[in-house]
Amino acid sequence: MAAPVNIIVGSHVWVEDSVLAWIDGEVFKINGEEVHVQATNGKTIVTDISKVFPKDTEAPPGGVDDMTKLSYLHEPGVLHNLATRYELNEIYTYTGNILIAINPFQRLPHLYDTHMMEQYKGAQFGELSPHVFAVADVAYRAMINEGKSNSILVSGESGAGKTETTKMLMRYLAYLGGRSGVEGRTVEQQVLESNPVLEAFGNAKTVRNNNSSRFGKFVEIQFDKNGRISGAAVRTYLLERSRVCQVSNPERNYHCFYLLCAAPPEVREKYKLDHPKTFHYLNQSDCYKLDGVDDTEEYLATRRAMDVVGISEEEQEGIFRVVAAILHLGNIEFAKGEEVDSSVLKDEKSRFHLNMTAELLRCDAKSLEDALIKRVMVTPEEVITRTLDPGSAAGSRDALAKTVYSRLFDWLVDKINSSIGQDPNSKSLIGVLDIYGFESFKFNSFEQFCINFTNEKLQQHFNQHVFKMEQEEYTKEEINWSYIEFVDNQDVLDLIEKKPGGIIALLDEACMFPKSTHETFAQKLYQTFKNNKRFIKPKLSRTSFTISHYAGEVTYLAELFLDKNKDYVVAEHQVLLTASKCPFVAGLFPPLPEESSKSSKFSSIGSRFKLQLQSLMETLNSTEPHYIRCVKPNNVLKPAIFENANTIQQLRCGGVLEAIRISCAGYPTRRTFYEFLHRFGVLAPEVLEGNYDEKVACQKILDKMGLKGYQIGKTKVFLRAGQMAELDARRAEVLGNAARTIQRQIRTYIARKEFIEMRKAAIVLQSHWRGILACQLYAQLRREAAAMKIQKNFRKYTARKSYVTVQLSAITLQTGLRAMVARNEFRLRKQTKAAIIIEAYLRRHLAYSYYKSLKKAALVSQCGWRQRVARRELRKLKMAARETGALKEAKDKLEKRVEELTWRLQFEKQLRTNLEEEKAQEIVKLQDALHAMQLQVEEANSRVLKEREAARKAIEEAPPVIKETPVMIQDTEKIESLTAEVASLKALLLSERQAAEEGRKASADAEIRNVELVKKLEDAERKVDHLQESVQRLEEKLSNSESENQVLRQQALTISPTGKSLSARSKTMIIQRTPENGNIQNGEMKVVSDMTVASHAREPESEEKPQKSLNEKQQENQDLLIKCVSQNLGFSGSKPVAACVIYKCLLHWRSFEVERTTVFDRIIQTIASAIEVQDNNDVLAYWLSNTSTLLLLLQHTLKASGAASLTPQRRRTTSASLFGRMSQGLRSSPQSAGLSFLNGRGLSRLDDLRQVEAKYPALLFKQQLTAFLEKIYGMMRDNLKKEISPLLGLCIQAPRTSRASLVKGRSQANAVAQQALIAHWQSIVKSLNSYLKIMKANYVPPFLVRKVFTQIFSFINVQLFNSLLLRRECCSFSNGEYVKAGLAELEQWCYESSEEYAGSAWDELKHIRQAVGFLVIHQKPKKTLNEITKELCPVLSIQQLYRISTMYWDDKYGTHSVSSEVISSMRVLMTEDSNNAVSSSFLLDDDSSIPFTVDDISKSLQQVDIAEVEPPALIRENSGFGFLLPRSE
């Protein structure tokens, strides 16, 4: 990470800061090697140029998901990228194939739900956003494909989230493996349930962490050959045994000791325990309690965890007896004995603890004492027992304590493994390593030395893996990398573990010599490694030494190294505890072989640690490693706080920066050809204008810049360290020149603009001044004109005034004269008028007197005349009064006549139905009478003619005088009588005709009224019937479902052994029409039960043979039907022939009404065999059409037996009216119940289908048919999903060909881009059209077609939307335009397909439509949260909007996302939602359910006319299927 040399004034750089680790600023001055930087926080920093690193000002605002994509791969760049992503809740980041996980300290459930697992399942590494699931998926796929075990190494300091990460890894592996553990618990659950037990006995408080693991845990998840989880095991490594006896301040011993001391009083009393400060192994440190932790609760929780793991009460008792015994053992102190180098118990307190230890371990106290203070030495000659001095006895005591605790921990691990269950036959596994991280405290001892040694080993493994990955990258790109040096830490490992001169070897050597001290050990180290560059001797210390580790220098205190390294294996201890009376303790110490149990030997903890570490490395080397580095962003353990210094230290300790050094040794900067040209194309514009290939264009730019040492691979440009900065400097220079040119042009433009404005201002000023002068001149002229006008008006006024005075005088004089003349004339006229009035009054008086006299005379005359007339009227009135009685009688007669006519009218109305017949009979009678009269008239005429002829002859023969007169009289009388008779007959005929005509008119009127009444009656009856049928349909649907369930339950009882007797039910017999059983019309069949035909049961022999032949014939017909149906019968007028034929046959054979038949099973088997080929959509569509039609017919035909008796009261009330009873009678009568289907005319509509009492097989057939309909629908839908799924993955991101305009010619590239832009969407539209064509060709009901496409569009919405939220490269402006164009294609398809087939499919895309609309909208920073949530994206949740807003980047115009205030508001709302337990998942779920029911189908499908469906040729000629042939009316 050497600093670049291309630092100039104006460069944006990173400089070191004591508080923030790194801070950005701008260079404003350079003096040789000294750089002056103006930091963003306002400070001015002066530093050396070698400590300054360039900053990428064009880095995406949301950071990059893989830090190998950083333009400058250095420490501040990595830290800034992690901080930026952490601020957006992007806690995962890649460095190559290494995952860095930063603990968010908050719940993010949307990152770990099942939908997210489904997204990462099988996805290419790096295709989706970084995630722990991606690492687990890569490990699983590598194990399955290559058959090699894999390991995932999770590292980081405590609190960084290692356990949570391990949990998520195991959850995902369990999701992929999919097998549950015993008792319904998954392997993952069982492993996690063991954590509290292991933490209680293997974790302790350290300086930096309250719950630090003091051992390494390697969880093996075992898989069988099919990739299913078959078992698991927990392997533990490198337990820190020395902590049992020695604890540094302010650390603590293992948790279990403190938990037991805080146990309930009865437990403490049983083990004679007290406060931890009373025990030597615990009181070496002043820390006894942890903040926020209740040891009593933790003790109970540990006991519960032991129960869950499967540790029995007796075993738990034994465990805590051992823990208590260790505490008491530590309190045993020794003093010098009477003999030399001997020791005895110091006091009674020590004796008490010795006895308690013996009691708890169930061994002899004296034997325990001897084992502690004596040693047995075996020589060839004899066995020698020697005593130990107090120091050696204390060492023996501590060795016993460490051994017992180590054996106890190993026993717990074995118990947990046996509880989980291992698979000894497993060939492949995935291991998850959770181990302590690098430690560097103020005071470091032997524990930190061992831990850091472990991390050096793991770092070497990590470095080798990183270098191997680098090599693979270079090999894949086919570039030369042979000269790149590998950064290795083998020299540190040699310093620690090399034999014979390593630190561990020297430590073991010092421990074997009794006289060695930590001073002699330290001096030995100084002498041995004085020339080693990794070993440093501190200046002010004689017992400390410093080692330069990969993560930095660590100074160790050698004081306790010797004591902590000693671990004697004492034979007396082994013998003592093997003989324990406690089975648990004895089980911890099984008997050793004879030769190994004779004497005690020295054992080095450091050497054992090295061996265990070697075993762990062998395990890791046998697997393919994957790395996850967990980082704790702050020490207060709160969300949204990112401490730079803390994080950078963890990155150093985790080896991430070491990996970056390895990358920097080769080619730290890699850019794809497109990215390189996009960034540095400005360095050679002529290259972009030319039609060059991308690779050639990159080569030309690099050659023009004169760079050396770079490499060009197949898809990327590889730059050496510093070359990116050099190119950026050149680019900055080019852009600076361009900026200066732009500035020059802008300044010219501004100056020109200012000149024009000044010129305009001068012109305006001049025009205003000229205007003022003109105004003044105008005012002068106006004043002169006004003066002249005033003079003129004044002269006019004076002349007018004199004229008016003269005029008034003349008028006054004239007025006086005229008044005098007028008064004289008025006086004359008044006199004349008075004379006229007097004359008028006189004349009026004379005329009035004459008028009064005339009037009086006229009145006298009138009175006389009126008196005379009145007397005459009086006489008439008197005569009329006498006739009043007769009038009353007439009135009564009229009233009676009216009543009689009223009654006759009513009677005629009642007899209107017989009127036509009477009328017809009367007309016939009249016609007969007329005919008879005509005959009589003709006879009379003939007789008259004959008599006339005879009379003529008689007259001629007889004398004339005598006989003439009588004959004439006789003939005349006859003629007159006949003529009168004819006239009367004619009159009678005329009257009869008139009566008939009146009757006909009355009949026509009555008939018209009758027709109107009948119509009204029919309308009312139709409405009543409709309401009754609706009510009955609902009742029957309810009763059918209840009866169906009842029948199914009864059938289940019948099938069961206890219900065998129920199978003997009445069977239905079919009797053909014969003269004996009655005249059954229209070929109907009579259904007679066993009770009805009981009288015919006397001849069983005679009936057996016909019945047998009937069954054989029926079986042949069924075989023929199945053979016919198994073929593709096609369609007849959009109706599926197979469904119609099956329905007609089943209805004719009465298969729905029998208790037992095989025809249903055979039909179902035929359908099942036909749809076995799941990819043949034509066949699936054919059977989808048939099953839906057949199910529709069954839905309208079948009703469960017993349905009629479930609601009798309700049905009785609905048929209370006359017409209700009539319609009910019509529905229930056998003659009108719809049995006319046998003559081929009765099944023209669904409404004409009769309902059949269905038995169990028919109901089961209906259910199976429903299941097959749903299955076929699901298969077609899923086939379409499979077909478009690969295309959707291509549709979410714009193809790269659309960006080729950087290199190729513009017009050509635009045409190619436009073509490529829409190709994948057109493929989806093509698939949709193909499926629509298939379903139309097979006449699939439009209702089902709409459901298919609605669910498909919902699937498209879910896939596109989730991919948009999971892949940051998809949340760009240009990609939004691409997806928007594709959605327009789908909208066009919906329009062309019409609403009949597309339905509401377009509405299902609302999420992706609104998300894309948000991506392509301009001026996002100006949008408020209310506008976004209410207007732009009302459907999207706050989590989804936050995700899109933070991931958005504008690759076209370089604009920004929404404002920081909106982001903050969204974050607040998300926090409130999480507090309110609202789901925070931002992903959508795909609904794969069946979106319809049988009732939905029956309501939505059109009526099916099955009467005219032609039967297929195979059965048309068969006599047994004659009922299928359509018949004429």
Side-chain angles (χ1 to χ4, degrees), residues 794-853:
F794 181 73
R795 291 177 184 134
K796 182 182 73 173
Y797 170 74
T798 55
R800 174 71 179 167
K801 187 175 180 182
S802 62
Y803 165 74
V804 168
T805 303
V806 174
Q807 186 186 36
L808 284 174
S809 301
I811 290 173
T812 304
L813 184 61
Q814 290 174 353
T815 303
L817 293 174
R818 287 172 183 160
M820 184 176 65
V821 173
R823 277 194 294 271
N824 292 332
E825 187 179 352
F826 171 71
R827 195 178 298 115
L828 178 63
R829 286 185 182 179
K830 189 175 179 182
Q831 292 173 355
T832 305
K833 185 177 179 182
I836 291 170
I837 290 172
I838 293 170
E839 290 174 356
Y841 271 97
L842 179 61
R843 289 176 186 137
R844 187 184 68 175
H845 172 70
L846 294 176
Y848 183 66
S849 299
Y850 178 69
Y851 162 71
K852 284 203 301 186
S853 62

XYZ file of all heavy atoms in Angstrom, residues 794-853:
502
model
N -64.314 83.306 -22.161
C -64.725 84.462 -21.369
C -65.501 85.465 -22.248
O -66.538 85.996 -21.825
C -63.501 85.132 -20.742
C -63.849 86.315 -19.885
C -64.439 86.132 -18.627
C -63.624 87.603 -20.348
C -64.759 87.225 -17.867
C -63.955 88.692 -19.555
C -64.521 88.507 -18.310
N -64.967 85.714 -23.456
C -65.668 86.635 -24.374
C -67.065 86.090 -24.733
O -68.045 86.831 -24.788
C -64.848 86.836 -25.648
C -63.564 87.628 -25.391
C -62.745 87.739 -26.669
N -61.459 88.414 -26.426
C -60.308 88.008 -26.875
N -60.256 86.937 -27.654
N -59.195 88.671 -26.617
N -67.123 84.793 -24.934
C -68.420 84.179 -25.258
C -69.379 84.334 -24.081
O -70.580 84.610 -24.258
C -68.202 82.701 -25.562
C -69.481 81.988 -25.957
C -69.234 80.513 -26.213
C -69.005 79.781 -24.896
N -68.935 78.331 -25.081
N -68.872 84.267 -22.876
C -69.718 84.329 -21.679
C -70.328 85.749 -21.521
O -71.529 85.887 -21.244
C -68.875 83.948 -20.455
C -69.564 84.212 -19.141
C -70.610 83.390 -18.712
C -69.182 85.304 -18.342
C -71.239 83.648 -17.518
C -69.817 85.557 -17.155
C -70.849 84.731 -16.726
O -71.489 84.983 -15.525
N -69.481 86.764 -21.701
C -69.991 88.144 -21.540
C -71.053 88.465 -22.593
O -72.091 89.061 -22.295
C -68.840 89.142 -21.628
O -68.116 88.938 -22.866
C -67.894 88.989 -20.459
N -70.812 88.079 -23.863
C -71.795 88.319 -24.929
C -73.077 87.549 -24.648
O -74.187 88.096 -24.816
C -71.188 87.900 -26.265
N -72.975 86.416 -24.192
C -74.167 85.580 -23.900
C -74.975 86.193 -22.745
O -76.208 86.193 -22.766
C -73.663 84.170 -23.525
C -74.729 83.213 -23.045
C -75.641 82.777 -24.151
N -76.626 81.838 -23.667
C -77.706 81.459 -24.344
N -77.915 81.973 -25.560
N -78.554 80.609 -23.856
N -74.248 86.720 -21.767
C -74.927 87.254 -20.597
C -75.785 88.491 -20.987
O -76.947 88.602 -20.557
C -73.877 87.651 -19.550
C -74.472 88.079 -18.214
C -73.362 88.338 -17.202
C -73.966 88.758 -15.865
N -72.932 89.058 -14.871
N -75.236 89.376 -21.808
C -76.014 90.564 -22.247
C -77.204 90.150 -23.098
O -78.306 90.693 -22.952
C -75.098 91.524 -23.030
O -74.598 90.902 -24.195
N -77.046 89.203 -23.949
C -78.148 88.710 -24.807
C -79.260 88.135 -23.959
O -80.443 88.380 -24.183
C -77.591 87.678 -25.776
C -78.648 86.863 -26.445
C -79.456 87.424 -27.468
C -78.909 85.551 -26.040
C -80.442 86.655 -28.056
C -79.889 84.781 -26.629
C -80.656 85.334 -27.634
O -81.665 84.592 -28.218
N -78.905 87.336 -22.945
C -79.915 86.689 -22.091
C -80.719 87.747 -21.342
O -81.946 87.618 -21.173
C -79.229 85.699 -21.117
C -80.199 85.232 -20.041
C -78.675 84.519 -21.894
N -80.067 88.866 -20.901
C -80.779 89.924 -20.162
C -81.855 90.556 -21.051
O -83.003 90.725 -20.640
C -79.768 90.981 -19.688
O -78.759 90.353 -18.896
C -80.465 92.059 -18.862
N -81.515 90.915 -22.283
C -82.486 91.505 -23.219
C -83.612 90.524 -23.495
O -84.795 90.892 -23.541
C -81.767 91.926 -24.526
C -82.772 92.401 -25.582
C -80.762 93.031 -24.243
N -83.275 89.256 -23.685
C -84.289 88.232 -24.006
C -85.294 88.083 -22.861
O -86.509 87.962 -23.091
C -83.573 86.888 -24.264
C -84.501 85.805 -24.752
C -83.782 84.452 -24.862
O -82.930 84.172 -24.043
N -84.114 83.702 -25.908
N -84.819 88.091 -21.621
C -85.718 87.937 -20.472
C -86.689 89.119 -20.364
O -87.882 88.945 -20.036
C -84.885 87.827 -19.183
C -84.198 86.470 -18.951
C -83.301 86.555 -17.722
C -85.232 85.376 -18.782
N -86.213 90.316 -20.670
C -87.088 91.498 -20.609
C -88.217 91.379 -21.634
O -89.386 91.625 -21.317
C -86.265 92.778 -20.861
O -85.232 92.918 -19.894
N -87.886 90.992 -22.854
C -88.901 90.850 -23.917
C -89.911 89.776 -23.552
O -91.131 89.957 -23.741
C -88.194 90.513 -25.222
N -89.474 88.729 -23.031
C -90.369 87.607 -22.685
C -91.314 88.033 -21.566
O -92.510 87.695 -21.582
C -89.533 86.388 -22.267
C -88.809 85.803 -23.490
C -90.412 85.305 -21.635
C -87.822 84.704 -23.150
N -90.832 88.775 -20.600
C -91.702 89.240 -19.485
C -92.826 90.106 -20.017
O -93.993 89.975 -19.609
C -90.852 89.991 -18.461
O -89.795 89.165 -18.011
C -91.699 90.450 -17.270
N -92.508 91.007 -20.891
C -93.506 91.896 -21.469
C -94.535 91.082 -22.252
O -95.740 91.297 -22.112
C -92.798 92.915 -22.365
C -93.684 94.009 -23.004
C -94.360 94.847 -21.892
C -92.849 94.934 -23.900
N -94.094 90.215 -23.109
C -95.020 89.372 -23.899
C -95.907 88.536 -22.988
O -97.100 88.350 -23.249
C -94.199 88.447 -24.830
C -93.506 89.189 -25.959
C -92.582 88.254 -26.754
O -92.376 87.115 -26.376
N -92.029 88.783 -27.866
N -95.409 88.076 -21.889
C -96.182 87.217 -20.986
C -97.339 88.001 -20.375
O -98.461 87.498 -20.255
C -95.263 86.665 -19.866
O -94.180 85.960 -20.452
C -96.017 85.746 -18.930
N -97.100 89.215 -19.936
C -98.172 90.022 -19.335
C -99.310 90.258 -20.320
O -100.493 90.123 -19.958
N -99.006 90.644 -21.562
C -100.017 90.891 -22.569
C -100.820 89.621 -22.866
O -102.053 89.644 -22.932
C -99.355 91.442 -23.851
C -98.730 92.857 -23.721
C -97.989 93.238 -24.975
C -99.819 93.904 -23.437
N -100.171 88.560 -23.082
C -100.878 87.299 -23.406
C -101.755 86.832 -22.244
O -102.833 86.267 -22.449
C -99.854 86.225 -23.751
C -99.206 86.447 -25.111
C -98.051 85.458 -25.303
N -97.353 85.705 -26.591
C -96.141 85.313 -26.885
N -95.432 84.627 -25.980
N -95.606 85.571 -28.080
N -101.353 87.092 -21.007
C -102.167 86.680 -19.840
C -103.479 87.465 -19.807
O -104.538 86.924 -19.506
C -101.339 86.893 -18.563
N -103.456 88.741 -20.116
C -104.661 89.561 -20.103
C -105.653 89.061 -21.155
O -106.829 88.890 -20.872
C -104.278 91.034 -20.357
C -105.447 92.019 -20.263
S -104.902 93.727 -20.466
C -104.319 93.741 -22.157
N -105.176 88.774 -22.357
C -106.057 88.264 -23.414
C -106.646 86.914 -23.004
O -107.822 86.638 -23.207
C -105.265 88.150 -24.740
C -106.108 87.467 -25.804
C -104.854 89.541 -25.228
N -105.875 86.094 -22.406
C -106.340 84.755 -22.027
C -107.389 84.826 -20.944
O -108.352 84.051 -20.941
C -105.144 83.917 -21.535
N -107.238 85.735 -20.000
C -108.225 85.842 -18.925
C -109.586 86.285 -19.485
O -110.618 85.763 -19.072
C -107.724 86.827 -17.867
C -106.767 86.176 -16.874
C -106.562 87.061 -15.651
N -105.882 88.310 -15.983
C -104.585 88.490 -15.994
N -103.789 87.478 -15.677
N -104.060 89.661 -16.312
N -109.598 87.179 -20.424
C -110.863 87.612 -21.031
C -111.536 86.430 -21.747
O -112.740 86.224 -21.611
C -110.617 88.768 -22.003
C -110.167 90.048 -21.260
O -110.531 90.229 -20.089
N -109.458 90.934 -21.956
N -110.811 85.712 -22.511
C -111.372 84.566 -23.258
C -111.866 83.496 -22.287
O -112.914 82.884 -22.510
C -110.277 83.978 -24.181
C -110.832 82.908 -25.103
C -109.763 82.367 -26.024
O -108.631 82.939 -26.036
O -109.989 81.375 -26.738
N -111.224 83.269 -21.191
C -111.624 82.255 -20.219
C -112.957 82.620 -19.567
O -113.802 81.754 -19.344
C -110.520 82.111 -19.149
C -110.925 81.262 -18.005
C -111.057 79.882 -18.157
C -111.234 81.824 -16.761
C -111.446 79.120 -17.102
C -111.617 81.039 -15.712
C -111.715 79.679 -15.864
N -113.102 83.943 -19.309
C -114.343 84.393 -18.660
C -115.530 84.128 -19.610
O -116.583 83.653 -19.170
C -114.229 85.899 -18.329
C -115.265 86.397 -17.347
C -115.042 87.884 -17.054
N -113.731 88.103 -16.424
C -112.785 88.780 -17.001
N -112.932 89.290 -18.198
N -111.615 88.980 -16.377
N -115.379 84.397 -20.907
C -116.424 84.163 -21.897
C -116.784 82.671 -21.997
O -117.946 82.291 -22.006
C -115.965 84.717 -23.269
C -116.940 84.496 -24.420
C -118.291 85.262 -24.141
C -116.349 85.028 -25.735
N -115.799 81.835 -22.056
C -116.047 80.380 -22.180
C -116.749 79.833 -20.933
O -117.590 78.926 -21.023
C -114.722 79.654 -22.377
C -114.151 79.859 -23.772
C -112.889 79.006 -23.909
N -112.263 79.201 -25.232
C -111.152 78.608 -25.636
N -110.529 77.758 -24.813
N -110.688 78.845 -26.861
N -116.465 80.358 -19.767
C -117.083 79.875 -18.530
C -118.567 80.198 -18.516
O -119.399 79.352 -18.124
C -116.372 80.537 -17.347
C -116.749 79.974 -16.008
C -115.893 80.603 -14.916
C -116.277 80.062 -13.546
N -115.489 80.694 -12.460
N -118.958 81.339 -19.007
C -120.377 81.705 -19.060
C -121.120 80.803 -20.033
O -122.225 80.332 -19.751
C -120.505 83.202 -19.481
C -119.996 84.173 -18.423
C -119.980 85.616 -18.931
O -120.273 85.890 -20.136
N -119.638 86.573 -18.045
N -120.565 80.595 -21.182
C -121.185 79.724 -22.199
C -121.381 78.321 -21.653
O -122.415 77.673 -21.854
C -120.293 79.669 -23.464
O -120.060 81.003 -23.929
C -120.951 78.850 -24.536
N -120.476 77.753 -20.953
C -120.551 76.385 -20.412
C -121.651 76.276 -19.367
O -122.392 75.283 -19.331
C -119.201 76.001 -19.796
C -119.159 74.578 -19.322
C -117.770 74.227 -18.788
C -117.743 72.804 -18.292
N -116.427 72.431 -17.727
N -121.820 77.280 -18.533
C -122.867 77.240 -17.502
C -124.253 77.187 -18.156
O -125.142 76.441 -17.717
C -122.735 78.466 -16.589
N -124.472 77.931 -19.222
C -125.761 77.919 -19.917
C -126.050 76.539 -20.503
O -127.158 76.034 -20.410
C -125.741 78.986 -21.008
N -125.032 75.929 -21.065
C -125.212 74.593 -21.664
C -125.585 73.577 -20.592
O -126.423 72.700 -20.802
C -123.921 74.188 -22.388
C -123.701 75.052 -23.637
C -123.967 72.726 -22.799
C -122.342 74.882 -24.283
N -125.006 73.612 -19.430
C -125.292 72.637 -18.347
C -126.746 72.767 -17.898
O -127.446 71.785 -17.682
C -124.330 72.859 -17.167
C -122.918 72.438 -17.571
C -124.772 72.080 -15.920
C -121.856 72.795 -16.535
N -127.232 74.026 -17.772
C -128.620 74.221 -17.346
C -129.556 73.594 -18.367
O -130.520 72.910 -18.009
C -128.914 75.731 -17.154
C -128.105 76.249 -15.959
C -130.415 75.990 -16.959
C -128.134 77.772 -15.848
N -129.357 73.807 -19.626
C -130.188 73.228 -20.684
C -130.151 71.693 -20.625
O -131.169 71.041 -20.761
C -129.699 73.742 -22.042
C -129.978 75.224 -22.287
C -129.344 75.723 -23.592
O -128.612 74.843 -24.219
O -129.524 76.860 -23.973
N -129.020 71.121 -20.399
C -128.892 69.647 -20.376
C -129.684 69.048 -19.230
O -130.358 68.012 -19.371
C -127.404 69.258 -20.246
N -129.658 69.632 -18.054
C -130.395 69.108 -16.915
C -131.896 69.142 -17.164
O -132.617 68.214 -16.798
C -130.036 69.890 -15.648
C -128.839 69.305 -14.912
C -127.569 69.826 -15.108
C -129.019 68.240 -14.026
C -126.464 69.293 -14.458
C -127.924 67.723 -13.384
C -126.637 68.227 -13.561
O -125.568 67.676 -12.897
N -132.362 70.160 -17.779
C -133.798 70.279 -18.046
C -134.234 69.178 -19.008
O -135.245 68.511 -18.775
C -134.102 71.692 -18.614
C -135.565 71.959 -18.977
C -136.470 71.841 -17.718
C -135.738 73.368 -19.590
N -133.556 69.004 -20.091
C -133.915 67.974 -21.079
C -133.880 66.580 -20.453
O -134.704 65.722 -20.744
C -132.960 68.040 -22.277
C -133.188 69.286 -23.139
C -132.157 69.339 -24.247
N -132.264 70.600 -25.009
C -131.279 71.338 -25.405
N -130.031 70.956 -25.147
N -131.496 72.463 -26.099
N -132.920 66.311 -19.584
C -132.825 64.981 -18.955
C -134.029 64.711 -18.067
O -134.569 63.607 -18.032
C -131.550 64.924 -18.112
C -131.304 63.535 -17.567
C -130.103 63.540 -16.659
N -130.403 64.313 -15.435
C -129.585 64.424 -14.394
N -128.382 63.898 -14.434
N -129.951 65.153 -13.331
N -134.537 65.740 -17.356
C -135.665 65.564 -16.462
C -136.919 65.187 -17.239
O -137.667 64.291 -16.835
C -135.888 66.866 -15.661
C -137.125 66.869 -14.844
N -137.288 66.079 -13.702
C -138.316 67.564 -14.970
C -138.483 66.273 -13.197
N -139.149 67.187 -13.958
N -137.104 65.818 -18.356
C -138.281 65.531 -19.173
C -138.215 64.080 -19.684
O -139.198 63.351 -19.621
C -138.357 66.538 -20.337
C -138.620 68.005 -19.923
C -138.565 68.926 -21.155
C -139.980 68.173 -19.256
N -137.116 63.649 -20.209
C -136.985 62.281 -20.750
C -137.145 61.220 -19.653
O -137.757 60.180 -19.857
C -135.607 62.132 -21.424
N -136.660 61.477 -18.478
C -136.719 60.494 -17.395
C -138.146 60.289 -16.917
O -138.554 59.158 -16.619
C -135.802 60.942 -16.259
C -135.737 59.962 -15.126
C -135.156 58.698 -15.319
C -136.261 60.282 -13.868
C -135.113 57.803 -14.281
C -136.205 59.379 -12.823
C -135.617 58.114 -13.025
O -135.565 57.188 -11.995
N -138.946 61.399 -16.885
C -140.349 61.292 -16.452
C -141.133 60.429 -17.426
O -141.931 59.565 -17.008
C -140.974 62.697 -16.363
O -140.281 63.483 -15.406
N -140.919 60.583 -18.716
C -141.613 59.783 -19.720
C -141.203 58.307 -19.615
O -142.011 57.403 -19.677
C -141.293 60.341 -21.117
C -141.921 59.568 -22.231
C -143.319 59.573 -22.437
C -141.126 58.812 -23.099
C -143.875 58.850 -23.455
C -141.683 58.089 -24.117
C -143.053 58.098 -24.287
O -143.617 57.359 -25.307
N -139.948 58.012 -19.361
C -139.444 56.621 -19.248
C -140.067 55.898 -18.064
O -140.461 54.731 -18.158
C -137.918 56.647 -19.100
C -137.325 55.351 -18.559
C -137.302 54.205 -19.360
C -136.876 55.290 -17.250
C -136.792 53.033 -18.830
C -136.368 54.125 -16.737
C -136.313 52.971 -17.533
O -135.805 51.784 -17.001
N -140.253 56.587 -16.911
C -140.814 55.951 -15.731
C -142.264 55.557 -15.956
O -142.708 54.503 -15.494
C -140.678 56.871 -14.522
C -139.291 56.927 -13.963
C -139.251 57.352 -12.495
C -139.856 58.692 -12.285
N -139.686 59.175 -10.877
N -142.988 56.344 -16.662
C -144.395 56.018 -16.915
C -144.503 54.788 -17.817
O -145.295 53.889 -17.577
C -145.086 57.219 -17.539
O -144.484 57.542 -18.788
